[in-house]
Each structure stands twice: as structure tokens, then as C-alpha cells.
Amino acid sequence: MPELPEVETYRRDMERLVGGRTITRVFVDWPRQVAAPSPAKFKREIAGRKIVSVGRRGKYLIFGLTGGYSMIVHLRMTGRLHLVAPDCPPDRHSHVTWTLDTGMELRFQDPRKFGKVYLVGDPDEIVGRLGPEPFDKKLTAARLVRMVAGKKTALKPLLLNQEFIAGLGNIYVDETLHLSGIHPRRAAGSLSADEARKLLSSIRTVLRKAIRHNGTSFDPFYVDAFGRPGRYQKYLRVYGRHGRECLKCGRTIDRIVVAQRGTHVCHACQPRPRKRG
DNA sequence: CAACCGACCTGTTCGC
DNA sequence: TGCGAACAGGTCGGTT
């Protein structure tokens, strides 16, 4: 679930809650969540270092540590971060826990255990292959046109590809394409310059608003570091709204499968591509 | 190279 | 109500 807006919400929370703190101890009870280096080395190298910055690249959180190290966290599907008091009872889904010099514990909760943590010297070892940030000023409509030129791939999987543009996931891709009036199966290379401009501005509009509302929460799933849900679910126009009316034209929202992902679309606002787009 | 599939995991929802 | 199947916001590696 955590896509760019949710990760950005965590980044802000983390900056405020753990920025400047020193990590005294690391506890790992599901070693596979430590992607690199070995869990033993991970624990040993992190203990005693201070968190000097908290950044984000795509869906990755990057904790800058003293000594030139970066600790990187990817929440994947069900990861959450929580700062809790030392007397907070253990919970069955926290598999990596950092104890801070204040005594507080930062817990990485992740029921599905897909999330990963890394400790590296250079963040680019992990995030170096990512495509541009959606808000990068160098990402212009003209550049987007060049990026899609000649591509036969459908837009949906392309936008989900983090090496194309970083940070979008299933929710925000569906929302973005609906706002753009573009069908998820359109061949990327078939976009007109106008459509590319519209797509880029939609990506930014959707993400900006979602960040402003602290991300999207379904059920009690994603919550920020204070345990608070996001509010963007109130503004979703297609995602999870299949069977209900399109807020723009009234037609019933459809749920289809594109690139093996559940996809929400209004077939009036987002006309089907002819044959190959 | 693009499309597709299974893996990685657990919890929740759906259909019978 | 009970129980197995299907499905879920992400990514990676392997096969057509």
C-alpha cells in the first residue's frame, strides 16, 4: 500500500520523531527482512550511529546516519513504522526494532514480511536505478513524450515500473489515468503531446493532494507513525469504486485486470484504445 | 525485449 | 457457521 504519498508522510514524521536521535540497539526477529548486509553486520554497524537526515526516493525511505552510512527502508505492501514507548507490549508483526537513546522504540511492523531494510554506504546501490521523481523539475512534458516514444507497452504497467517514474503504485496510477482521461491499456507511445502534458499534470495533482492528506488508508491498514490514518481515500475517484458511479460522468466504474493488477476505470471518461492503442 | 508467472508472506473476504 | 479458495496497496527473478 505505501506509495509515494504514504512514504512521504512517514518521511516527515520520521524527521520530526527520530531525527537527531542515536540508535543504541537493533533487534531483528525475521532475518529475511534485512536485505543487506547480513543481519549480524546490520545490527553491529548501526548501533551507536545518529540519524542525521531522513529522505525519500520513490517509495524508499532513506535515513542518513553518521559515518556516511544510509539505512534504507522499503515498506512494500503492508509495512508500517511506529514510534512507541519502551513499555509498549511486543506485537507479533514487528520484526525489526530500533531502540533510540531516548529509550523509545522505532518498530517496523509488517504482517506480510515483504518489506526490506538495507544498510549501505551509497544510497544509489539501492535507489540508483529509479526513474525520475514525479516532482522533479527536469521531468517536463516534452521529456515524458520522449520517454514514451515508440513504446508499445500499456501505460499502466509502464507507470508502475519504478525505473520509468519513481513512486507510483496501483492506487495512484488508476487515479492519475482517470484524471487524465486516458485508458490504462493505451500503448504508451500512442500518447499525443497534449495527453502527455495532461498525464504529467494529473500525476502531480493527485500526488500533491494525497500528500496533503497524509496518504490513503483502507480499512485500518496504512497509518502514519502516530497511528493516524490518511484521508485521501475520501477523494478517490476510481480506485475501489467499481460498481459505483463515476463522479465525473455518472457511468458505472469498471474493474478490469491490466498487467495482472486490479485496475479501475471509467469507460466513458477513459475511452478504450482501438486495437494497439 | 515484452508479457506473464510464481515467489515472497499473512490476513481478510468471498463463495459454497 | 465453517472452510478452503481467491485476493490484496510491491518487487524480483525466471520463463516463454
Side-chain angles (χ1 to χ4, degrees):
Chain A
M1 134 223 9
E3 305 179 30
L4 189 150
E6 292 77 29
V7 178
E8 179 60 23
T9 301
Y10 275 129
R11 191 201 64 73
R12 285 193 312 233
D13 290 352
M14 287 298 114
E15 192 167 58
R16 189 173 136 200
L17 293 174
V18 307
R21 304 296 8 139
T22 294
I23 298 167
T24 56
R25 212 155 55 82
V26 186
F27 173 76
V28 175
D29 92 347
W30 192 262
R32 283 136 91 74
Q33 292 210 256
V34 180
S38 69
K41 189 168 181 195
F42 181 83
K43 292 194 276 191
R44 184 173 2 107
E45 292 293 330
I46 284 179
R49 296 191 191 277
K50 183 164 126 182
I51 299 166
V52 295
S53 63
V54 187
R56 179 193 58 74
R57 180 81 169 84
K59 303 174 192 172
Y60 292 84
L61 265 179
I62 306 176
F63 296 83
L65 306 181
T66 44
Y69 282 92
S70 293
M71 183 175 79
I72 301 185
V73 176
H74 195 300
L75 302 165
R76 295 279 183 106
M77 302 273 271
T78 54
R80 294 172 171 184
L81 293 170
H82 279 297
L83 190 69
V84 301
D87 58 356
C88 182
D91 62 282
R92 53 182 305 219
H93 294 310
S94 290
H95 304 294
V96 182
T97 299
W98 297 266
T99 304
L100 306 178
D101 53 358
T102 52
M104 297 288 278
E105 283 184 1
L106 176 62
R107 294 184 180 175
F108 182 11
Q109 285 189 332
D110 188 1
R112 280 175 83 175
K113 301 175 182 164
F114 285 175
K116 300 281 181 216
V117 297
Y118 311 78
L119 180 71
V120 292
D122 177 1
D124 274 352
E125 290 174 43
I126 308 300
V127 300
R129 312 194 47 164
L130 294 177
E133 283 291 312
F135 294 107
D136 187 338
K137 288 198 176 62
K138 286 180 285 189
L139 179 58
T140 61
R143 178 168 165 204
L144 186 59
V145 169
R146 288 196 300 274
M147 286 163 68
V148 299
K151 286 202 190 298
K152 292 179 182 164
T153 322
L155 271 168
K156 169 127 186 181
L158 189 64
L159 293 173
L160 286 173
N161 182 349
Q162 303 300 297
E163 295 182 23
F164 183 71
I165 292 178
L168 295 169
N170 210 29
I171 297 175
Y172 296 110
V173 166
D174 283 5
E175 292 298 311
T176 287
L177 287 170
H178 178 258
L179 184 58
S180 313
I182 299 172
H183 194 280
R185 286 205 180 109
R186 278 281 300 281
S190 75
L191 286 190
S192 67
D194 244 29
E195 288 174 316
R197 201 171 302 124
K198 180 74 186 157
L199 177 59
L200 182 57
S201 75
S202 298
I203 290 172
R204 289 174 171 162
T205 299
V206 167
L207 293 180
R208 197 178 295 121
K209 187 165 174 183
I211 291 170
R212 193 162 67 235
H213 291 284
N214 288 354
T216 301
S217 297
F218 288 120
D219 324 9
F221 244 45
Y222 158 80
V223 291
D224 69 14
F226 301 96
R228 300 174 306 203
R231 298 179 302 275
Y232 193 73
Q233 61 276 15
K234 289 189 280 192
Y235 304 95
L236 295 174
R237 300 184 78 112
V238 285
Y239 192 90
R241 295 195 66 251
H242 46 294
R244 299 173 60 193
E245 83 292 357
C246 174
L247 298 169
K248 203 151 117 196
C249 76
R251 174 156 179 174
T252 303
I253 305 288
D254 259 348
R255 186 178 190 279
I256 60 177
V257 174
V258 180
Q260 295 88 239
R261 307 297 303 275
T263 298
H264 308 76
V265 64
C266 169
H267 284 294
C269 296
Q270 300 163 269
R272 282 189 171 86
R274 292 256 172 226
K275 248 241 173 87
R276 345 194 31 64

